[in-house]
Amino acid sequence: MSFRSQKLINADDTLFIFIDHQPQMAFGVTSIDRQLLKNNTVALAKAAKLFGVPIILTAVETEAFSGYIWPELLDVVRQKPIERTSMNSWDSDELVAQVKASGRKKLVIAALWTEACLLYPTLSAIEEGFEIYFVTDASGGTSLEAHDAAIRRMEQAGAHPLTTINALLELQRDWAHRETYDGVMDIVREHFGAYGMGVDYAYTMIHKAPQRGTFPHEAPHPAGH
């Protein structure tokens, strides 16, 4: 039986919030490679869905400025986003009502940009007694300096940094949890580079599992092997 730490995120006490993962917001990000940002954000959403963690999705000034939420993210979350005008999503009565109705006190937040749309609701939610975990590599700032300064400010206020892979593995925690094991491995192989390549190698070369691609690699067998 796994130890249930109150200092770790758990699937039954956590709510994920994705804030403003929209094209115009991503255009302004320079603190992280934008393709990596999208990859991590989609992986984070898949992790929440796999473990049955509720998700809130919000967007700012969609048709006036920011554009539609990334389709890859919407295809995972499959819900209508809360539309806002304020940079601080905690100004949205609808968002705050949904958060409070969930009954969950741990909020995992990813947002664009770090220095505004992540920082402001983080500080606001802490004031209202919520425990905040912000995902550094599914968020991005207009400069590395702005991103890092916001991170320091959130940490000083008591929020906790996470990365996407950190969140995924923290929810799994024990490889004996077989009901989510295959799903975790699917996310890893699709989104986590060398880690995923290593899993593919171990599955096929060591455990002799079939290749996961629809067009398998048929290698010749050298003489004497």
Side-chain angles (χ1 to χ4, degrees):
M1 180 177 178
S2 298
F3 174 70
R4 184 181 173 84
S5 172
Q6 295 306 309
K7 299 298 184 182
L8 298 172
I9 60 171
N10 303 285
D12 61 357
D13 65 8
T14 301
L15 174 71
F16 279 51
I17 306 176
F18 292 84
I19 300 173
D20 306 348
H21 289 91
Q22 298 163 269
Q24 191 65 253
M25 303 303 295
F27 293 160
V29 169
T30 66
S31 63
I32 183 174
D33 176 83
R34 282 165 280 194
Q35 187 60 45
L36 179 61
L37 170 68
K38 179 185 278 189
N39 173 75
N40 292 339
T41 303
V42 173
L44 187 67
K46 288 181 178 180
K49 294 287 282 190
L50 173 64
F51 287 92
V53 179
I55 295 170
I56 294 176
L57 192 64
T58 184
V60 65
E61 289 288 336
T62 295
E63 295 190 335
F65 178 76
S66 299
Y68 299 114
I69 287 174
W70 301 334
E72 297 90 346
L73 178 57
L74 277 175
D75 280 349
V76 174
V77 177
R78 295 187 174 274
Q79 65 179 240
K80 183 179 178 181
I82 296 170
E83 184 73 22
R84 323 179 321 277
T85 59
S86 173
M87 285 182 278
N88 184 1
S89 57
W90 210 256
D91 289 338
S92 167
D93 292 338
E94 184 179 357
L95 181 138
V96 174
Q98 287 191 24
V99 170
K100 292 182 177 179
S102 75
R104 299 181 179 221
K105 301 298 287 186
K106 294 180 182 178
L107 310 181
V108 174
I109 307 178
L112 304 181
W113 298 320
T114 316
E115 63 267 34
C117 301
L118 179 59
L119 175 65
Y120 303 161
T122 292
L123 298 182
S124 300
I126 288 172
E127 282 190 41
E128 294 211 45
F130 290 90
E131 188 174 350
I132 308 300
Y133 298 78
F134 58 92
V135 187
T136 58
D137 62 354
S139 305
T142 57
S143 70
L144 185 58
E145 183 177 4
H147 178 80
D148 289 346
I151 285 174
R152 291 195 301 271
R153 191 172 169 190
M154 290 185 289
E155 289 175 336
Q156 288 165 1
H160 312 287
L162 283 176
T163 65
T164 301
I165 188 66
N166 187 174
L168 175 65
L169 297 180
E170 198 160 315
L171 289 170
Q172 176 67 21
R173 287 226 278 289
D174 189 338
W175 297 122
H177 296 159
R178 304 306 298 183
E179 66 278 9
T180 50
Y181 178 90
D182 288 338
V184 168
M185 289 296 101
D186 287 342
I187 295 171
V188 165
R189 290 187 293 181
E190 185 68 26
H191 293 280
F192 290 114
Y195 181 13
M197 295 176 204
V199 170
D200 263 334
Y201 180 86
Y203 273 29
T204 56
M205 294 291 121
I206 299 171
H207 301 294
K208 304 304 179 184
Q211 298 172 51
R212 64 189 176 100
T214 57
F215 189 85
H217 179 180
E218 296 182 4
H221 298 286
H225 286 256

